[in-house]
């Protein structure tokens, strides 16, 4: 394998890993928010039917909220980029020479001579003026068209893949075994935290403990609230 082939291979690997990392983080969201909600409902003494109804509602509401958030975020990002590009395009038509100098000054600031900077700016702009300014001035390296629907569906699916686990556990386990639900979820959160860290090339145990700690905090908080609420209602 040549160095370039190896480099391309590594780039693809890291891209896949980024996707895995995003999926795992979405699943973590689903697990923590749904399991902590369920903890509160279970400890309040609600019937299993109510617990399951709340679990399913939380799963669906969470999935839609994740999808909406992702869609809006990708859309507004692409609106901003489009607006920036329109300004740039107009400026290239109106002041080509200033734009050449603007680009050249950026290269000069990065350490090349004025001559070289001007030559690079001229050649790049002769090849693809808007592309050169988009990349070096606006920092838009991602030339792929944004896909808000796919991004939204991915977010929702990641959330559901996590949220469904505590719902199924709450369905299988009687309320008296609520601690098993908590324990299994914590083990899972630790494993997913470690997996996300593995995908990002970060220390695994530390990341696992971090997710576990936040999950534990959320569960204990809602459990106590449910307990207090259940007592006051009864
Ligand atoms: Zn420019």
């Amino acid at each position: 394998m040549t160095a370039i082939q190896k480099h391309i291979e590594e780039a693809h690997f890291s891209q896949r890993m980024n996707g895995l990392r995003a999926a795992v983080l979405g699943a973590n969201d689903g697990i923590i928010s749904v399991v902590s909600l369920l903890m509160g409902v279970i400890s309040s003494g609600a019937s299993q039917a109510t617990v399951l109804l709340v679990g399913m509602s939380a799963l669906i509401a969470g999935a839609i909220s994740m999808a909406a958030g992702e869609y809006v975020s990708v859309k507004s990002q692409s609106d901003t980029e489009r607006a920036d590009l329109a300004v740039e395009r107009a400026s290239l038509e109106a002041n080509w020479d200033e734009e050449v100098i603007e680009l050249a000054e950026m290269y000069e600031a990065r350490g090349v001579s004025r001559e070289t900077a001007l030559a690079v700016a001229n050649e790049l702009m002769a090849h693809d003026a808007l592309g050169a300014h988009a990349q070096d001035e606006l920092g838009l390296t991602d030339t792929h068209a944004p896909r808000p629907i796919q991004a939204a569906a991915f977010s929702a699916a990641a959330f559901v893949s996590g949220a469904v686990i505590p719902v199924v556990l709450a369905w299988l386990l009687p309320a008296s075994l609520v601690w098993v639900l908590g324990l299994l979820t914590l083990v899972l959160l630790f494993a997913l935290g470690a997996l996300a860290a593995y995908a990002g090339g970060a220390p695994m145990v530390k990341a696992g403990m971090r997710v576990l700690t936040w999950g534990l905090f959320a569960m204990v908080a809602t459990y106590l609230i449910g307990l207090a609420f259940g007592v006051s209602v009864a």
Side-chain angles (χ1 to χ4, degrees):
M1 200 184 285
T2 68
I4 290 175
Q5 275 172 336
K6 190 158 183 280
H7 180 78
I8 290 171
E9 195 101 327
E10 275 166 8
H12 285 176
F13 180 72
S14 102
Q15 229 168 41
R16 268 204 308 276
M17 284 291 146
N18 277 338
L20 174 63
R21 194 168 164 275
V24 171
L25 292 177
N28 275 347
D29 267 4
I31 294 172
I32 293 181
S33 63
V34 171
V35 81
S36 50
L37 187 55
L38 290 181
M39 283 291 177
V41 181
I42 292 170
S43 71
S44 77
S47 70
Q48 207 192 14
T50 307
V51 170
L52 288 179
L53 176 66
V54 169
M56 285 308 294
S57 306
L59 183 149
I60 292 164
I64 294 172
S65 146
M66 294 290 281
E70 189 66 22
Y71 182 87
V72 168
S73 148
V74 171
K75 267 292 192 194
S76 68
Q77 170 80 13
S78 86
D79 285 349
T80 309
E81 289 177 7
R82 216 190 313 242
D84 282 346
L85 284 175
V87 169
E88 201 58 40
R89 193 179 287 116
S91 175
L92 282 167
E93 274 170 28
N95 350 280
W96 180 270
D97 293 342
E98 280 94 346
E99 287 289 337
V100 174
I101 290 168
E102 180 191 51
L103 208 55
E105 278 173 352
M106 275 174 214
Y107 301 138
E108 225 184 320
R110 276 196 239 159
V112 292
S113 71
R114 180 147 191 89
E115 254 170 54
T116 311
L118 275 171
V120 172
N122 271 310
E123 282 187 38
L124 281 177
M125 284 174 67
H127 173 67
D128 174 13
L130 189 60
H133 282 259
Q135 191 170 337
D136 289 332
E137 189 186 341
L138 304 175
L140 303 179
T141 47
D142 191 8
T143 47
H144 301 297
R147 295 179 171 158
I149 298 281
Q150 279 93 327
F154 180 85
S155 272
F159 182 92
V160 168
S161 73
V164 75
I165 295 166
V167 174
V168 168
L169 286 176
W171 174 55
L172 294 174
L173 296 165
S176 58
L177 291 181
V178 64
W179 61 274
V180 177
L181 169 66
L183 198 66
L184 287 176
T185 308
L186 288 176
V187 171
L188 188 65
L189 283 175
F190 178 83
L192 286 175
L195 180 63
Y198 169 74
M204 291 168 65
V205 173
K206 222 165 121 187
M209 286 309 291
R210 202 179 297 143
V211 185
L212 184 150
T213 306
W214 278 104
L216 182 63
F217 172 70
M219 279 190 250
V220 170
T222 52
Y223 186 82
L224 293 177
I225 290 167
L227 220 50
F229 198 77
V231 168
S232 76
V233 169

